[in-house]
Amino acid sequence: YIAMMDKIESPPQAAPQPAAQPEPENILSSGSSVQHNEGELRDHYINHAPIGIFQADLKGRLQLANPELAWMLGYESTEQVLEHIENLNENMFADKETSEDFFFQLFEGEEVHKYRAQIAKKDGRTQWVLAYARVIKNQKERFIGYYGFLIDISELKGAEDKLLELNQQLHQISRIDGLTDIPNRRYFDEHLDREWKRMARNKQELSIILSDIDFFKIYNDTYGHQAGDVCLKQVAKAIESVARRPGDL
């Protein structure tokens, strides 16, 4: 009982308070230093970006260009780009039609995304890019310029072209007879269906020639299959040489 009373009557011990920690320094508290840091970071990102960055006024006079844009256009430095390119509106893309289309879309829609085109290098070569751009407005909502960036897709375009070429070759192989190098039965059926519909639409006649090689089995058995293959190739070339009109097969 006494022990319990002692336990009740003894005042509770206050928990030790942690030592006051110094307030972390807020790097955003000083306006001038923050602006300075932001400017340095912006310049660092622009100068080291792996994409070409640009800004120009309405007349196409460059106001900003980064080293990657200079490299894309074939120049050694941003200073050379700013000095030699007087009108980006006319000198960025490889042809006039592309330039007109790009800037028409930009000033009509106020921005352009994933515009695939070829840009013109200083030495006359071209390079495939994806172009992005957005207009710049003043306080009165009037256009005063534009900014944007270019992404190099040369390797991607090369891979796409190679894949397209392989697909075309595969498609061609699937329609050509391996021995005679003339259209096979599959292509014949497709062509016949197409020509049948065309002749029916124009109310014209369609002619089909069926031919046979006399005594070919005897020839093949006598001189062998290789000689028979040569014979088939020669006959196929002779027939193909007289099929000259666009609709002939």
Side-chain angles (χ1 to χ4, degrees):
Y1 177 76
I2 295 174
M4 185 178 294
M5 289 296 294
D6 290 341
K7 192 172 183 179
I8 294 174
E9 292 177 357
S10 58
Q13 298 294 324
Q17 298 295 325
Q21 299 294 327
E23 290 291 334
E25 181 181 358
N26 188 351
I27 61 173
L28 300 179
S29 58
S30 57
S32 59
S33 61
V34 169
Q35 292 177 359
H36 180 69
N37 291 335
E38 288 180 347
E40 288 184 347
L41 284 174
R42 182 190 62 213
D43 293 342
H44 176 79
Y45 291 146
I46 291 176
N47 291 330
H48 293 83
I51 59 177
I53 302 175
F54 58 88
Q55 180 177 323
D57 61 17
L58 288 179
K59 294 183 178 180
R61 291 176 295 206
L62 270 172
Q63 299 170 331
L64 180 147
N66 71 336
E68 183 69 14
L69 181 73
W71 175 82
M72 285 183 170
L73 297 177
Y75 294 91
E76 297 181 357
S77 66
T78 57
E79 290 76 14
Q80 289 185 358
V81 175
L82 296 173
E83 179 181 355
H84 290 90
I85 296 184
E86 299 180 354
N87 189 342
L88 192 65
N89 301 358
E90 298 179 355
N91 298 319
M92 181 162 65
F93 294 107
D95 58 87
K96 181 179 179 181
E97 292 75 14
T98 301
S99 296
E100 291 177 350
D101 181 61
F102 178 82
F103 287 104
F104 175 80
Q105 292 190 32
L106 175 61
F107 294 124
E108 283 292 316
E110 299 187 5
E111 59 184 8
V112 177
H113 293 277
K114 296 182 179 180
Y115 191 93
R116 180 176 288 209
Q118 288 181 290
I119 58 173
K121 289 180 173 288
K122 182 181 67 172
D123 58 6
R125 293 180 299 149
T126 59
Q127 179 176 335
W128 281 98
V129 299
L130 277 182
Y132 296 73
R134 172 175 284 186
V135 298
I136 303 173
K137 300 179 182 179
N138 60 15
Q139 295 180 348
K140 297 181 179 180
E141 293 296 310
R142 293 179 179 176
F143 296 166
I144 59 174
Y146 58 88
Y147 67 93
F149 57 90
L150 306 176
I151 301 176
D152 179 12
I153 59 168
S154 299
E155 293 185 2
L156 174 63
K157 188 64 172 60
E160 290 177 347
D161 292 344
K162 185 63 176 178
L163 181 61
L164 179 61
E165 180 184 353
L166 292 175
N167 285 335
Q168 290 174 343
Q169 292 177 359
L170 181 61
H171 182 65
Q172 185 71 10
I173 291 173
S174 69
R175 302 167 67 182
I176 299 299
D177 180 70
L179 176 63
T180 60
D181 286 333
I182 62 174
N184 59 15
R185 175 61 184 271
R186 175 182 177 182
Y187 185 55
F188 171 78
D189 290 340
E190 295 176 358
H191 189 76
L192 176 61
D193 180 67
R194 184 167 56 251
E195 287 299 301
W196 183 277
K197 293 177 180 178
R198 186 170 71 88
M199 294 297 108
R201 186 170 58 252
N202 297 333
K203 297 181 179 182
Q204 295 178 344
E205 297 179 351
L206 177 67
S207 298
I208 298 178
I209 299 176
L210 301 178
S211 61
D212 187 26
I213 303 176
D214 292 340
F215 309 112
F216 179 73
K217 186 179 185 306
I218 298 175
Y219 181 89
N220 202 49
D221 293 341
T222 302
Y223 297 102
H225 293 290
Q226 291 185 349
D229 289 347
V230 173
C231 176
L232 289 175
K233 291 179 180 179
Q234 291 176 346
V235 172
K237 291 301 180 184
I239 296 175
E240 185 182 33
S241 65
V242 298
R244 300 173 181 175
R245 295 178 300 179
D248 292 346
L249 180 67

